């Protein structure tokens, strides 16, 4: 039976039966296509364990009405069955009163774990870690460790890494299941574990954690506090989500869309318009300031009307050049390719690129303008103006995000509109100044 | 000793000694900061195993001169020590003659594996898979399976999944090490393995493979051919690289930069200028075509010079609106949030957003124009023109990439410049037509 036929099934026994054969991720993928009542029916029939997996995979916008419809008691059962980091993610987005009610209905131990996780910001290591990992006393033997793994296996999120802790709950070593299987059974954990463990701090930004996991090819990374006590682990499946989320954020910010909580299909047109309008209108005023520069030069413009024919190219070119270098630098900062050590070198290189790109574009425009309008002086003015403007734009597009980054702010969000407006104004000023002087 | 002090060490014994304490990923990170001669010294002192890990972590632009300097015999040893998918990646970027020479110098079995992988496109499942995995006959017992894992462990890329195959080398099941440890030792693999395995096809695009791994939270996914024969596995660490690579590509394409082989610091300014100039000049001509529209209306412009003051805002606004919806759709297509089923719904929603955004922006501009210039009719013309243009731009920005995607092309690369140029021209035409008619 196709997935869709199954989740459309109204008979509860048949629904339960066919759901058992489906992967929760597949169910979550088609669930948006059925009615709310049917979604609730599916989650009930799936049972808490599978409902937990399905619920977590759904788009966040779809969750609140489902929670409402499921009712708090059933919902608390689903949250019990969910891994603690996932439950914290879902609860973290609910209003305080609903969150407290659900936590009080959950099993005590689960609720305590989730409360612990809710203390941390959702974009920090603490916010994405799970407390369901295996830690063992460093004096245990390998054989004892494997025995406890068999016992703990079903409870934890990964058994592929085991962490050794001392009597103060401090992390002293880590060993992979792979190494554990290959180690002599009678050896002590502290003899075979790797002593120098790469860790994330509980308040580290999730982007930093993602970079560590990607750099060292980890399946999980331990999270510690200031005293090096082990608080949790972040697993690679959550890192995949972080990478997607951060890339989406950067893309949308570079395109001047407010990325927070966007959903492409579910959110209302009004909500989505509100996330774009402030940027559009802000940029509109940038364009109007540039227009005011043109107004200052209306005398020149009235003398040579042909100057107006080049305004679109003259405003667009530098904007495009700035966007190119802005995107390269913002992405380089995000992937770590451009790091502190290479910042100045990167901006220096970009300045050279700007000069080349400016000179070539300017020459092309000069030639075209001359052929089109048949006036050498006009060709000279538009070519020279474009060359200068594109060079400035390219340098600005790389330099500005670096400054913003140094100041600790997000280079993707602050740079675009500012550079865009600045270049609109600068471009028109340089263009018409040169025209007033040379024509 | 700091990493940097270590890799700057000239004394070979000391260098070898301190390198043994460093993680290859850390060495790779600082290696760009020393001379080529010193890089070679580091790779030699590290020994083939660690040199393999360091080499693979380096930026691709840095590799060819190192290969040259290491010499083919030593290099072949390093490639032998590298996992076969990584070796294939590096060899795949070398000229044919050098590749063949190195393959002939490598160990026969290793070289055969690498040759096999080189048959597949580098952005396909085959191109990123490894053949170093564990497959077992489905009739084996769990105890036998664990024993072979202990034996094979050091040779393979992951032992966390084990694949069951039948006598035709066809994949019949998969079981995680975690399940294997928890299973009764005397059970047969075919009794405990999951029979319905989610697989990637060897020619699947790497983006599709990444989506599967992210959706099902896999650590590895098996890769099969048309006959369902197991050819390799793709591990999650390679998927992290794919996600980063694809996000970078999308960001750069949306910013009109040729993403192929870009490196921010190492490549020459000329190379980088060449990756941007074709787009810049193409867009420049777009701006000139729009300028030609203005020229057609020079009579209207000479009558009302104030029309020129709004050209920058009128050209910029719709461009920005198109970029917003383009970025949302391109990203939605990349993450799978906008899929085949939701395409039309997504475009329909976007049309509504376009109307709202257009009306609000147009009203704002009309008011500002009236207050600035004191003419009702001019306010009406610019406001109406902007409202129409932004609405068209938003719809076009979502509709066009969807068409491109349906046609099987890459929506990120084809959409931006086309929409940008089309909107430049359309905006000016509508603006001046309304002006000619109403003023």
């Amino acid at each position: 039976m196709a997935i869709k036929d199954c989740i459309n099934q109204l008979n509860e026994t048949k629904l339960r039966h066919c759901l058992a054969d489906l992967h929760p991720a597949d169910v979550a993928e088609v669930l948006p296509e059925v009615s709310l009542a049917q979604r609730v029916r599916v989650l009930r029939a799936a049972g808490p364990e599978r409902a937990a997996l399905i619920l977590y995979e759904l788009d966040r916008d779809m969750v609140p009405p489902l929670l409402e419809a499921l009712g708090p008691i059933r919902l608390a059962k689903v949250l019990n069955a969910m891994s603690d980091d996932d439950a914290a993610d879902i609860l973290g987005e609910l209003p305080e009163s609903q969150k407290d009610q659900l936590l009080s209905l959950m099993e005590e131990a689960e609720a305590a774990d989730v409360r612990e996780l809710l203390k941390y910001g959702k974009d920090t290591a603490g916010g994405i870690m799970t407390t369901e990992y295996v830690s063992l006393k460093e004096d245990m033997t390998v054989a004892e460790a494997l025995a406890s793994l068999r016992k703990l296996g079903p409870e934890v999120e990964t058994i592929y890494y085991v962490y050794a802790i001392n009597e103060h709950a401090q992390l002293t070593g880590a060993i992979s299941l792979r190494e554990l299987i290959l180690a002599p059974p009678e050896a002590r954990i502290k003899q075979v574990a790797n002593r120098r463990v790469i860790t994330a701090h509980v308040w580290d930004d999730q982007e930093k954690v993602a970079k560590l996991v990607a750099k060292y090819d980890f399946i999980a990374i331990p999270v510690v506090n200031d005293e090096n006590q082990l608080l949790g682990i972040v697993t690679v499946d959550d890192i995949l989500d972080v990478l997607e989320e951060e890339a989406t954020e950067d893309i949308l910010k570079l395109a001047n869309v407010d990325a927070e909580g966007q959903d492409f299909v579910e959110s209302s047109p009004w909500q989505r318009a509100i996330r774009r309008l402030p940027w559009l209108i802000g940029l509109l005023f940038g364009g109007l300031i540039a227009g005011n520069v043109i107004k200052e030069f209306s005398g020149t413009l009235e003398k040579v009307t042909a100057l107006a024919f080049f305004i679109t190219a003259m405003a667009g070119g530098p904007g495009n050049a700035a966007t190119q270098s802005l995107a390269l630098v913002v992405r380089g900062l995000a992937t770590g390719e451009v790091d502190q050590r290479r910042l100045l070198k990167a901006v220096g290189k970009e300045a050279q690129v700007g000069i080349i790109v400016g000179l070539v574009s300017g020459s092309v425009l000069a030639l075209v303008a001359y052929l089109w309008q048949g006036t050498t002086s006009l060709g000279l003015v538009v070519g020279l103006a474009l060359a200068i403007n594109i060079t400035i734009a390219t340098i600005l597009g790389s330099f500005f995000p670096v400054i913003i980054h140094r100041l600790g702010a997000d280079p993707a969000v602050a740079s675009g509109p500012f550079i865009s407006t600045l270049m609109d104004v600068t471009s028109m000023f340089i263009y018409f100044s040169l025209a007033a002087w040379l024509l």
Side-chain angles (χ1 to χ4, degrees), chain A:
Chain A
M1 181 157 41
I3 301 174
K4 189 121 193 225
D5 292 331
C6 173
I7 66 161
N8 269 322
Q9 182 60 254
L10 289 174
N11 178 311
E12 205 192 308
T13 321
K14 284 188 186 157
L15 180 59
R16 187 173 302 142
H17 201 78
C18 71
L19 277 177
D21 278 350
L22 294 176
H23 194 290
D26 290 324
V27 177
E29 199 171 64
V30 289
L31 217 50
E33 294 169 47
V34 299
S35 67
L36 178 62
Q38 186 62 19
R39 289 179 201 169
V40 173
R41 215 172 281 133
V42 167
L43 288 178
R44 287 188 178 178
E49 294 285 340
R50 294 172 70 83
L53 294 169
I54 296 168
L55 199 63
Y56 188 68
E57 293 290 327
L58 289 176
D59 283 341
R60 284 290 174 276
D61 295 28
M62 221 177 291
V63 173
L66 270 176
L67 300 190
E68 205 69 46
L70 269 178
I73 294 175
R74 192 180 292 264
L75 185 54
K77 279 194 193 133
V78 174
L79 290 170
N80 283 333
M82 207 175 267
S83 74
D84 60 352
D85 53 336
D86 296 353
D89 283 354
I90 290 198
L91 284 169
E93 286 176 23
L94 298 180
E96 282 300 316
S97 61
Q98 201 182 354
K99 187 169 77 184
D100 292 340
Q101 186 199 18
L102 285 168
L103 279 167
S104 67
L105 289 169
M106 283 173 68
E107 282 167 25
E108 218 164 299
E110 279 291 329
D113 284 347
V114 172
R115 275 205 186 88
E116 181 66 28
L117 294 180
L118 282 169
K119 293 195 314 200
Y120 305 105
K122 74 179 179 57
D123 292 341
T124 65
I128 56 171
M129 74 182 181
T130 171
T131 58
E132 292 159 351
Y133 58 90
V134 183
S135 66
L136 301 169
K137 294 267 181 291
E138 52 180 353
D139 292 321
M140 248 183 197
T141 66
V142 167
E144 287 167 344
L146 284 170
S148 18
L149 274 185
R150 278 197 193 87
K151 220 183 74 199
L152 293 169
E155 303 293 320
V156 297
E157 198 156 319
T158 183
I159 61 166
Y160 298 136
Y161 287 104
V162 171
Y163 301 97
I165 53 173
N166 65 15
E167 63 275 27
H168 307 297
Q170 285 166 323
L171 181 67
T172 61
I175 183 164
S176 67
L177 178 54
R178 179 179 184 151
E179 294 164 309
L180 209 56
I181 288 186
L182 300 171
E186 68 288 351
R188 305 225 167 256
I189 293 291
K190 69 166 149 190
Q191 294 169 313
V192 292
N194 308 296
R195 312 293 295 182
R196 275 185 310 180
V197 189
I198 290 155
T199 59
H201 188 276
V202 68
W203 285 110
D204 276 347
D205 189 85
Q206 62 176 3
E207 220 170 337
K208 189 176 166 193
V209 184
K211 275 184 200 169
L212 284 174
V213 170
K215 177 175 167 190
Y216 296 108
D217 290 347
F218 288 147
I219 289 173
I221 187 169
V223 179
V224 297
N225 62 12
D226 288 337
E227 281 79 44
N228 198 37
Q229 290 172 315
L230 183 59
L231 301 179
I233 63 168
V234 174
T235 50
V236 70
D237 55 304
D238 294 321
I239 294 300
L240 289 175
D241 295 340
V242 169
L243 285 184
E244 289 245 303
E245 195 184 311
E246 298 284 346
T248 298
E249 252 180 58
D250 278 352
I251 288 180
L252 296 187
K253 282 174 191 163
L254 283 173
N256 298 315
V257 183
D258 192 350
E260 207 48 52
Q262 54 81 33
D263 173 86
F264 204 83
V265 181
E266 294 293 314
S267 56
S268 85
W270 286 100
Q271 286 174 316
R272 288 161 66 191
I274 285 167
R275 290 195 199 103
R276 303 189 207 173
L277 272 169
W279 300 103
L280 277 183
I281 291 176
L283 288 165
L284 204 56
F285 278 92
L288 287 173
I289 300 173
N292 198 43
V293 173
I294 302 177
K295 188 183 175 198
E296 295 301 315
F297 288 94
S298 13
T300 314
L301 184 59
E302 273 160 18
K303 214 174 81 187
V304 192
T305 316
L307 284 171
F309 312 160
F310 295 93
I311 292 178
T312 43
M314 194 63 70
N320 292 325
T323 304
Q324 289 183 330
S325 79
L326 180 65
L328 277 164
V329 173
V330 166
R331 189 60 191 159
L333 288 168
T335 60
E337 209 194 331
V338 177
D339 55 19
Q340 294 298 339
R341 285 189 295 268
R342 308 210 278 172
L343 270 185
L344 278 181
K345 208 175 158 190
V347 173
K349 274 274 173 89
E350 204 57 19
Q352 298 173 45
V353 178
I355 293 170
I356 298 171
V357 168
L359 283 178
V360 176
S361 307
S363 309
V364 170
L365 186 64
L367 185 67
V368 173
Y370 170 70
L371 294 175
W372 187 24
Q373 298 294 323
T375 341
T376 322
S377 56
L378 185 65
L380 189 69
V381 166
V382 294
L384 193 58
L386 190 74
I388 296 172
N389 289 330
I390 283 192
T391 305
I392 297 175
T394 306
I395 296 172
L396 204 64
S398 68
F399 190 63
F400 192 74
V402 164
I403 301 281
I404 296 285
H405 178 73
R406 280 267 168 119
L407 295 176
D410 182 344
V413 71
S415 308
F418 177 81
I419 294 178
S420 189
T421 296
L422 188 61
M423 281 319 302
D424 268 0
V425 177
T426 311
S427 298
M428 287 307 121
F429 183 77
I430 290 178
Y431 176 40
F432 280 98
S433 298
L434 282 176
W437 179 41
L438 294 174
L439 293 185

